[in-house]
Amino acid sequence: MPTAMFRRSAKPLSGRYLSLTEREEIALLLVQGHGVCSIARRLGRAASTISREIRRNAATRSGNFEYRATTAQWHAERAGLRPKVAKLAANDTLRHWVEDRLSGAVAKPDDAPVTGPTVSWKGRRHGPRQNRRWSKAWSPEQIASRLHIDFPDDDSMRISHEAIYQALFVQGRGALRRELSACLRSGRALRVPRARIGQRGKGFVSPEIMISERPAEADDRAVPGHWEGDLILGLGSSAIGTLVERTTRFTMLLHLPRMEGHGAGPGVKNGPALAGHGAEAVRNAITRTIVTLPEELRRSITWDQGAEMAQHARLTVDAGVEVYFCDPQSPWQRGTNENTNGLLRQYFPKGTDLSMHSADTLAAVAATLNGRPRKTLGWKTPAEALDQCLEQIDRQRVATTG
């Protein structure tokens, strides 16, 4: 490599990238016989970073595999020049293969195409959720991984899943037609950064009422009285509230009827939640239901960060139960409740109007569920487990007063 071709970057590199000084250190340590892991520890870098650096940027012109700092720096700066021609734009065969796995037609066993609903591209989404475009709809990760199997000896047929996402979403790198984003299972035309997921918390949720602050006794289910709650939604914004006790798996259902005036006209911004599952309606339903239990069985409720729990502070006062919230996008933190909601879908299927069920009907379904023997309870029913807890509470009260 001619010396004149090497020049230092005008813009200093961030700590994310290896510097010339680090490359000089790598070259020196390699000559001294140090291995990749040893070099990584000395530089405070990942071993994969050092291994990739040596593999990509070593000098090979002499026929030998030698690592020189200045040559490696030149290779790195050349590779970092922008803009680059996107790989999908330069490789027609690869682009057509990727497009076919994204938007290829669904076919019968005899290869006859099956036409799904006609969904026009509106520039930002696929239209109403019930009108989804039918296609093969492979995910970018599936496409990128399958290339290694279908083209094991063709290095030109390689692309990362991130490059496919960028070709769909990033302006200026659109080697794929933008409307193909409708073939992704999410159907999004705009990408949601992962970093934003942790910022989706509600304004009424403060750190001291997060699930991490919940008493340890709730985690091991040793002490009854800790509940998990949620809403199951149906057609027309109808809903039923669910409460499940963590120790006994006892279930209570909250009747949330629609309010007067629902469907009579267009909704009013910041007006009352006429669908029946607004913050006030949910608070009243929980209070009305849970106060029927003794105080020892009203220790805490864990909920997701839905707006229906905006009045949690007043609920704590009215019902005497502490409220804790799960982290955003973390339904597994209420696993008992999520499992119970799945069981309830046998009686309240998705896509049906849940407002048609009366309070008596909900009580009957809850009694049916609480009468099923559970393996986790030693084949006792949740109702029997709760009765044992109530008997134990009564004995403790007698012993205390006696």
Side-chain angles (χ1 to χ4, degrees):
M1 179 198 69
T3 307
M5 294 182 65
F6 173 73
R7 63 178 179 82
R8 288 181 177 270
S9 299
K11 178 181 177 182
L13 294 175
S14 69
R16 176 183 175 187
Y17 303 100
L18 291 173
S19 64
L20 177 59
T21 303
E22 288 177 305
R23 289 190 168 98
E24 290 173 341
E25 187 73 12
I26 292 172
L28 181 60
L29 292 172
L30 284 173
V31 171
Q32 294 175 356
H34 290 273
V36 169
C37 292
S38 174
I39 296 174
R41 284 193 297 269
R42 288 170 177 265
L43 295 181
R45 296 280 188 173
S48 59
T49 300
I50 305 302
S51 174
R52 185 167 53 246
E53 166 67 17
I54 297 171
R55 184 176 67 254
R56 285 181 177 176
N57 297 332
T60 58
R61 179 172 295 181
S62 62
N64 298 321
F65 194 81
E66 298 179 355
Y67 184 85
R68 303 190 187 96
T70 54
T71 303
Q73 183 75 8
W74 175 74
H75 280 305
E77 291 195 350
R78 186 185 60 173
L81 293 176
R82 297 295 186 271
K84 275 184 173 180
V85 178
K87 192 169 186 178
L88 287 173
N91 190 333
D92 291 340
T93 304
L94 178 61
R95 184 177 70 255
H96 294 323
W97 197 91
V98 171
E99 288 180 344
D100 180 65
R101 269 62 189 175
L102 275 173
S103 61
V106 177
K108 298 179 182 178
D110 60 358
D111 291 333
V114 178
T115 58
T118 302
V119 182
S120 59
W121 172 249
K122 298 185 178 181
R124 58 187 298 264
R125 199 178 167 84
H126 49 69
R129 184 165 291 278
Q130 60 267 32
N131 297 331
R132 290 304 300 270
R133 183 174 175 179
W134 281 27
S135 64
K136 291 182 180 178
W138 287 25
S139 71
E141 185 177 16
Q142 289 170 334
I143 294 172
S145 300
R146 186 68 190 188
L147 283 167
H148 293 269
I149 299 175
D150 290 352
F151 304 95
D153 302 321
D154 189 353
D155 289 339
S156 67
M157 296 294 286
R158 298 286 185 271
I159 192 169
S160 69
H161 64 277
E162 177 62 26
I164 298 175
Y165 277 119
Q166 290 193 13
L168 288 170
F169 291 122
V170 178
Q171 190 75 19
R173 298 187 67 97
L176 298 175
R177 301 191 309 277
R178 187 71 183 275
E179 59 265 27
L180 292 183
S181 62
C183 298
L184 296 175
R185 284 194 283 274
S186 69
R188 295 191 188 100
L190 296 176
R191 198 172 185 184
V192 180
R194 285 181 181 268
R196 196 177 298 169
I197 292 177
Q199 302 171 3
R200 292 179 180 172
K202 297 297 190 297
F204 56 81
V205 178
S206 55
E208 59 270 15
I209 54 174
M210 293 299 296
I211 191 171
S212 57
E213 302 300 319
R214 190 175 65 178
E217 65 184 28
D219 295 332
D220 58 16
R221 304 175 190 266
V223 179
H226 296 282
W227 299 76
E228 295 177 3
D230 194 17
L231 299 181
I232 55 175
L233 301 179
L235 197 64
S237 195
S238 56
I240 294 173
T242 63
L243 286 174
V244 186
E245 205 281 316
R246 285 177 54 81
T247 301
T248 63
R249 275 65 169 184
F250 189 83
T251 301
M252 297 193 295
L253 300 182
L254 311 177
H255 186 226
L256 300 172
R258 287 174 174 150
M259 298 174 64
E260 184 179 354
H262 179 269
V268 180
K269 186 176 182 179
N270 297 326
L274 301 180
H277 51 89
E280 183 176 1
V282 171
R283 172 180 59 80
N284 290 335
I286 295 176
T287 302
R288 186 170 56 248
T289 303
I290 206 168
V291 294
T292 60
L293 298 171
E295 186 177 339
E296 291 84 352
L297 292 181
R298 289 183 273 138
R299 300 180 187 275
S300 75
I301 295 177
T302 303
W303 208 278
D304 61 18
Q305 296 193 20
E308 67 272 7
M309 288 299 286
Q311 296 188 11
H312 64 88
R314 185 171 173 185
L315 172 62
T316 299
V317 174
D318 293 346
V321 57
E322 297 293 333
V323 179
Y324 297 95
F325 291 95
C326 297
D327 296 319
Q329 309 295 316
S330 304
W332 59 86
Q333 294 177 344
R334 306 174 0 269
T336 302
N337 184 247
E338 289 291 329
N339 177 266
T340 303
N341 288 350
L343 300 177
L344 287 169
R345 283 299 185 184
Q346 177 183 355
Y347 305 97
F348 310 118
K350 293 182 179 180
T352 59
D353 186 358
L354 303 183
S355 65
M356 63 183 290
H357 302 292
S358 65
D360 290 339
T361 301
L362 299 188
V365 172
T368 301
L369 215 59
N370 292 328
R372 289 184 185 176
R374 302 291 183 88
K375 182 177 181 179
T376 188
L377 298 176
W379 301 113
K380 291 187 295 185
T381 67
E384 292 170 342
L386 185 72
D387 286 342
Q388 288 185 353
C389 290
L390 293 173
E391 291 174 2
Q392 184 177 2
I393 291 172
D394 289 340
R395 288 196 298 270
Q396 290 176 347
R397 285 179 176 177
V398 171
T400 302
T401 56

